Amino acid sequence: MTSFGIIPTLLGFVGFFSQVDDYLPQSIKKPVESTINSLVAQEFLIILILILLFSLLASYLTTVQKYYHFTLIKSEHKLTTIRGFFQRYVVSLPLKKSKQFLSSKVFYVSG
């Protein structure tokens, strides 16, 4: 996966747990802290890997919902893109502008 979406997800976990720590009563916080302190390195590594995998999954699902059913439609005077899963995005570009953009780029195909 080439997306850096995992970084905000991991930062979100860290931010969430640091805020929860401030609001938890001591009667709940003490047993949780003692459990975390008693974890051996192997168990801690497993939990860390699970958090990393969950972050990768969240990043992947964010990318999928962003580009879900990506469609490019060319009509007589414009190009239209449609994408999105939960929220639909429709963007239109006049064909004149897109031709100017494409003509300014040079593509070479070796063969």
Side-chain angles (χ1 to χ4, degrees), residues 77-81 91-99 101:
H77 300 289
K78 65 181 176 178
L79 286 175
T80 304
T81 61
V91 178
S92 295
L93 178 69
L95 207 49
K96 275 186 171 181
K97 288 186 179 184
S98 64
K99 283 184 180 179
F101 171 74

Side-chain angles (χ1 to χ4, degrees), residues 70-89:
F70 179 85
T71 307
L72 179 64
I73 301 169
K74 180 182 176 185
S75 63
E76 195 171 317
H77 300 289
K78 65 181 176 178
L79 286 175
T80 304
T81 61
I82 303 169
R83 65 179 172 90
F85 184 71
F86 294 115
Q87 189 171 6
R88 186 177 170 148
Y89 294 96

Side-chain angles (χ1 to χ4, degrees), residues 18-52:
S18 69
Q19 293 298 318
V20 167
D21 184 42
D22 295 339
Y23 296 107
L24 284 177
Q26 289 295 331
S27 62
I28 295 175
K29 195 180 339 183
K30 288 290 183 186
V32 171
E33 285 177 353
S34 66
T35 303
I36 290 173
N37 290 337
S38 69
L39 288 177
V40 293
Q42 184 180 10
E43 292 170 336
F44 183 73
L45 184 63
I46 289 171
I47 291 172
L48 191 63
I49 289 172
L50 287 175
I51 290 173
L52 181 66

Side-chain angles (χ1 to χ4, degrees), residues 1-19:
M1 180 174 292
T2 59
S3 172
F4 288 108
I6 190 171
I7 294 170
T9 306
L10 286 173
L11 291 175
F13 275 126
V14 170
F16 174 76
F17 287 119
S18 69
Q19 293 298 318

Side-chain angles (χ1 to χ4, degrees), residues 57-75:
L57 179 66
S59 174
Y60 174 74
L61 290 177
T62 301
T63 304
V64 166
Q65 72 89 17
K66 185 176 182 181
Y67 295 107
Y68 185 78
H69 279 287
F70 179 85
T71 307
L72 179 64
I73 301 169
K74 180 182 176 185
S75 63

